[in-house]
Amino acid sequence: MRRRSLLIGSAAVALGVAADPPAAQAAAFVKGADVSWLPQMEAKGYYWNNSAGVRQDLFTILKGYGITAISLRTWVNPSSDPANGHCGIEETAQLAQRAKNAGMQVLIGFHFGDTWNSVGVQNPPAAWAGMSYSQMLQAMYDYVYHSCNVIKYYGVTPAWVKIGNETNSGICKPTGSISKPAQMTGLLNAAYDMSKQVFPSTPVLVHLAQPQNLASVQNFLNAYRDNGGRWDITGLSSYGQGGNVAPIVANMKTIQTSYGKPVMQVEYGGPVGKPTQVRDSLKAFVSGIKGFGGLGTFFWEPEGYPSFNNYNSSAWDEATRRPTVAMDGFL
């Protein structure tokens, strides 16, 4: 393992700050939500009512639905754009601390970019774009080591760390493209190793999208495994609805069985205008994933009002500020 040569910021210098004991992987099925937009929405005056129409802290409302875990994304050098920026490690750590203080487990998700990376886009941070592979490898060691120490400084031991976001085609392309599997694996293993150095007992996830396309997921996992890739849990995104859920769950089971790693659905959501459909599909995912021994399900940004983010995937009615029946899928 190469040694890190970095100057850690003030937030990470105090490594002796008391933190949680190492997080044990919860035996109970995890019900979670990604609420990374929360601070930016609050700063713009948005708020949330509970099902009775009473304004409450969002974490309090979520806990009422049995949600015990919060997923938070983080970007390397993000812009100040409210919907497509923020989420730098300092802000992410502060929100993680707030979630911890609300009694929630925390999943930290590294995108390894300055804004969204997803199944169709895997752009490196601008500061890394001109680097050679060896330079990028060192940057990955430094970045993840520093970021995990910032999280630790804020007194949070994540229950999970996710290295990459929907990485079917690789990370930090073209350097870490799946067409260069040894380099892709090297970058992700650097992230895995640094996460384990700071949080030895925290499981690390890789994250693939669209398990309905089983070959795409297997293509990544085969390349990663065959090049010595290290991971503890396979994270999967699926926004499947209705009759699509059952075959997707069957593929998730195949993925868990084939690679010997437990599966967690780290993203789910659906149209805000079809809350009954979203509820019933969520119930089907929860029961199906439970049925084959999967670990949990996370709803992606249920609090995200369309007027803020221009997305149609939400579980809150913007007119009433109340949760829709979609959230009942967790009950």
Side-chain angles (χ1 to χ4, degrees):
M1 183 189 302
R2 296 181 67 191
R3 299 301 302 168
R4 282 79 49 212
S5 55
L6 79 160
L7 294 174
I8 300 172
S10 60
V13 171
L15 301 186
V17 172
D20 293 343
Q25 190 170 307
F29 189 85
V30 178
K31 297 177 181 179
D34 186 322
V35 296
S36 301
W37 273 319
L38 177 60
Q40 289 71 253
M41 293 186 73
E42 288 176 330
K44 287 191 165 292
Y46 288 94
Y47 63 91
W48 297 268
N49 294 330
N50 63 21
S51 59
V54 177
R55 182 171 175 175
Q56 278 186 311
D57 177 78
L58 181 64
F59 290 138
T60 301
I61 303 173
L62 293 174
K63 287 167 74 173
Y65 285 96
I67 287 177
T68 61
I70 297 298
S71 176
L72 301 174
R73 64 179 166 271
T74 191
W75 294 326
V76 180
N77 293 305
S79 75
S80 59
D81 180 88
N84 304 303
H86 287 270
C87 299
I89 190 58
E90 196 82 19
E91 284 187 347
T92 299
Q94 290 168 5
L95 187 54
Q97 183 186 60
R98 180 174 163 189
K100 177 205 166 186
N101 290 342
M104 313 288 260
Q105 293 180 295
V106 176
L107 185 158
I108 297 294
F110 290 106
H111 275 238
F112 303 132
D114 294 333
T115 187
W116 307 102
N117 275 323
S118 65
V119 65
V121 177
Q122 290 293 332
N123 294 324
W128 300 8
M131 291 180 175
S132 67
Y133 168 61
S134 61
Q135 291 170 331
M136 190 177 287
L137 189 64
Q138 187 63 47
M140 180 67 81
Y141 278 122
D142 292 351
Y143 169 66
V144 175
Y145 182 71
H146 167 76
S147 296
C148 287
N149 274 308
V150 174
I151 298 289
K152 184 177 182 179
Y153 171 80
Y154 279 91
V156 178
T157 296
W160 312 271
V161 169
K162 182 165 69 71
I163 51 172
N165 193 77
E166 299 186 336
T167 59
N168 301 54
S169 64
I171 64 165
C172 298
K173 294 167 68 174
T175 304
S177 169
I178 197 167
S179 64
K180 300 175 180 178
Q183 293 186 178
M184 176 191 79
T185 301
L187 291 169
L188 287 169
N189 274 346
Y192 180 96
D193 291 345
M194 292 301 94
S195 176
K196 290 292 188 179
Q197 181 150 327
V198 182
F199 301 118
S201 298
T202 295
V204 175
L205 294 79
V206 292
H207 176 194
L208 292 311
Q210 301 173 352
Q212 66 268 24
N213 184 358
L214 184 59
S216 173
V217 174
Q218 291 173 323
N219 188 44
F220 172 91
L221 292 175
N222 289 343
Y224 190 53
R225 177 194 61 194
D226 294 349
N227 282 273
R230 295 186 282 279
W231 81 105
D232 305 315
I233 296 169
T234 303
L236 298 168
S237 298
S238 180
Y239 293 78
Q241 301 288 301
N244 295 322
V245 174
I248 292 170
V249 168
N251 283 358
M252 289 177 166
K253 180 180 179 181
T254 296
I255 292 163
Q256 178 161 301
T257 302
S258 299
Y259 298 93
K261 309 288 186 183
V263 159
M264 178 180 282
Q265 184 181 16
V266 293
E267 288 185 28
Y268 168 79
V272 67
K274 298 182 177 181
T276 301
Q277 171 188 290
V278 176
R279 175 199 66 194
D280 294 346
S281 302
L282 176 56
K283 284 184 175 179
F285 270 120
V286 169
S287 63
I289 294 169
K290 261 188 186 176
F292 69 75
L295 299 181
T297 297
F298 284 76
F299 202 116
W300 184 78
E301 298 277 12
E303 87 296 356
Y305 293 128
S307 68
F308 171 78
N309 56 39
N310 294 317
Y311 282 82
N312 187 36
S313 177
S314 174
W316 249 264
D317 184 306
E318 190 156 3
T320 65
R321 311 280 178 170
R322 298 186 188 196
T324 70
V325 297
M327 292 297 295
D328 292 350
F330 282 117
L331 298 176

